C-alpha cells in the first residue's frame, strides 16, 4: 500500500490534498483578450495545488480549451456560473471561492 509522504497515512486515508484544497482562496473573474475573446480566469491557488490537473478536469467538464500557467487557469469562454460548482465538486471550499 502506498504511504503519503506528508502525513504518513496510507493514501486511501490521507486527507492532505483535501486540507490543501480547502485552504485555497480562489477568485473567478473574466477577462477580454485580443479580438474580443472572453476567457474565464481562475486564480488564488498556492503552490501546493496541481493547477494543471485542475485545469484539465475543468476543460473535461466544460468541454472547452484553456491554459494553466503561474497558478492561474484561463478557460476559453465565460464559464463563471459553472466554474464554482466544479471547483466545489473537485474538493475546494465553497466559502473560499469568490
Ligand atoms: Zn497525506
Amino acid at each position: 500500500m502506498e504511504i503519503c509522504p506528508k502525513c504518513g497515512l496510507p493514501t486511501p486515508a490521507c486527507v492532505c490534498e483535501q486540507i490543501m484544497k480547502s485552504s485555497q482562496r480562489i477568485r473567478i473573474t473574466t477577462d477580454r483578450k485580443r479580438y474580443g475573446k472572453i476567457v474565464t480566469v481562475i486564480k488564488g491557488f498556492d503552490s501546493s495545488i496541481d493547477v494543471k490537473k485542475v485545469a484539465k478536469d475543468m476543460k473535461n467538464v466544460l468541454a472547452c480549451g484553456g491554459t494553466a500557467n503561474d497558478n492561474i487557469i484561463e478557460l476559453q469562454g465565460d464559464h463563471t456560473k459553472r466554474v464554482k460548482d466544479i471547483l466545489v465538486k473537485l474538493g475546494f471550499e465553497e466559502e473560499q471561492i469568490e
Side-chain angles (χ1 to χ4, degrees):
M1 193 182 289
E2 266 187 84
I3 302 289
C4 170
K6 284 203 184 84
C7 64
L9 289 171
T11 44
C14 166
V15 291
C16 292
E17 195 183 346
Q18 213 178 314
I19 291 167
M20 284 188 302
K21 280 181 171 174
S22 64
S23 69
Q24 305 299 307
R25 294 190 65 90
I26 300 166
R27 285 185 161 276
I28 305 166
T29 57
T30 56
D31 194 11
R32 192 178 290 273
K33 291 287 185 182
R34 277 183 297 170
Y35 314 117
K37 279 186 188 165
I38 301 272
V39 293
T40 305
V41 181
I42 310 159
K43 56 187 166 187
F45 303 101
D46 69 32
S47 55
S48 65
I49 299 297
D50 186 349
V51 175
K52 286 199 170 15
K53 187 178 178 294
V54 175
K56 197 180 159 205
D57 290 341
M58 288 272 171
K59 288 190 280 182
N60 282 341
V61 176
L62 296 165
C64 68
T67 56
N69 283 309
D70 300 326
N71 290 343
I72 297 171
I73 297 173
E74 282 190 3
L75 301 170
Q76 287 165 19
D78 183 353
H79 303 288
T80 44
K81 289 196 179 75
R82 292 186 65 198
V83 160
K84 187 173 179 176
D85 283 345
I86 298 166
L87 284 168
V88 171
K89 283 201 182 87
L90 290 174
F92 293 93
E93 198 67 48
E94 189 167 5
E95 286 83 50
Q96 305 262 66
I97 304 170
E98 285 177 51

